[in-house]
Amino acid sequence: MLDVQSGNDRLLLAADAPALSPATAETGTSAPGLGALTITIHHSLAEVESDWRTFEREADGTVFQSVDWLACWQRHIGERGEATPAIVVGRDAAGAMQFILPLAVQVGRFARELTWLGSELGDYNAPLLAPGFGERIGRDDFLSVWRTITERIQSNPHLQFDLIHLTKIPDRVGTQNNPMLNLAVAPHPSGAYLTHLSGDWDAFYTAKRSSSTRRRDRTKRKRLAEIGDIRLFNPEGKAETLQTLEMLMTQKARSFAHMGVGNLFARPGYAEFYRALATDPATKHLVHVSSLNVGATVAAINLGLTWRGCYYHLLASYDDGEASRFGPGAAHLHDLMRWAIEHDLGVFDFTIGDEPYKRDWCDTEVRLYDLIAGATRRGLFVAAVMAVAARLKRWIKQTPLLWALFSKGREAVGSLRRSR
């Protein structure tokens, strides 16, 4: 059993943030291999930034738990949406970090939610874990720790929540089983996919694609070349990067409208977040922006992330003109994987989404889960409705015929809206 020690919340707040009183109530158990575990909850990334940076260099996690990504998100989106960080840090008896849980409390559509910091844009929402953490703490111990965490957060009157809403929880964190799966999680509607890179691009490509597929790819690239010279363009400097991003957002907006879904970049702070992410000195090292130019046409654009040997294929857009007939997105993807191999990246992560092309390339499927649980009477009702909606969404998305019908219907609704 795990011995959870008492400790005050450490507070560091923006000048205009509401005052938060410390919550000190903790429970205690004990666990072989960890001994005493001290849990602290912080309401500012700045307070733990230095230790966080040191920890993330060795901890298992993803780019979406890096302090640079989350600080940028909080600055441009979280603060506008009144998301209050509730960053949970667990340390062993020697003071060494064992985990960071980047949580937040914010107002959802129907209730106040305990959620992940940066949840909407994080394709993988998870803790950062010390190497071997899963070997040192069992299921019952983790449940005890989780109960302590939620009680501590709920005991603060400024952080009280109605429900727990944690989405896109991966089944593994680095090499470890994700301890969050010890909770009452349910499958997320979508999965995620990645492939391990090896050798040079030609050998990798030949091993992954059949001769008929490679022949078809060559034919399409030849047709693209008939329109104009094909060039992979990596913008240099802030002005070029922002110009490329603006074009990506314009292309994506047209695609969203065609699909009948809302424009991601029209949400408060979202466009500003991506602009800052790609150009701010604190975060631009994470970002790889590129385009596939066919003559004078910017045929495809991508914003990817690189972190600890992994390329995250995050945002992709395509021009809907003449070049679109010959698969510029696939040609750009090939060039991106070649670029990743040439820059010694060992994993190409296609991130969340069940598009068929991801399955064609992947050698590893990442299973994702959601945790939806009520904490108050209101939260219990909202959680029940959300859980039913999530199950229905997963059923539709995992049934090809239903998903095709749903997508067609959504496109039809979008077309009607555009015609008004």
Side-chain angles (χ1 to χ4, degrees), residues 217 220-221 223-224 227 230-232 251 291-294 297-302 313 316-336:
D217 289 343
K220 288 185 176 181
R221 197 171 184 102
R223 298 298 299 273
L224 282 173
I227 298 173
I230 300 173
R231 180 169 65 102
L232 181 67
Q251 291 180 355
S291 65
L292 185 78
N293 296 351
V294 180
T297 301
V298 181
I301 308 173
N302 176 73
H313 189 245
S317 69
Y318 319 104
D319 179 74
D320 55 7
E322 181 184 6
S324 66
R325 295 183 296 144
F326 307 117
H332 192 198
L333 178 64
H334 296 171
D335 287 353
L336 288 173

Side-chain angles (χ1 to χ4, degrees), residues 57-101:
R57 287 199 290 266
E58 65 174 24
D60 284 325
T62 76
V63 67
F64 304 109
Q65 287 77 57
S66 68
V67 70
D68 287 328
W69 168 275
L70 290 174
C72 188
W73 181 91
Q74 178 64 13
R75 185 165 58 254
H76 293 280
I77 299 174
E79 290 178 1
R80 294 188 185 200
E82 298 182 352
T84 302
I87 300 159
V88 185
V89 176
R91 298 177 185 270
D92 63 19
M97 275 192 180
Q98 294 298 308
F99 66 84
I100 297 177
L101 267 174

Side-chain angles (χ1 to χ4, degrees), residues 229-261:
D229 292 337
I230 300 173
R231 180 169 65 102
L232 181 67
F233 174 66
N234 296 298
E236 296 182 3
K238 184 174 182 178
E240 282 188 348
T241 299
L242 288 176
Q243 184 179 25
T244 305
L245 278 180
E246 293 305 318
M247 195 169 296
L248 180 151
M249 289 189 277
T250 298
Q251 291 180 355
K252 289 293 281 186
R254 288 200 296 265
S255 176
F256 289 143
H258 176 74
M259 292 188 295
V261 301

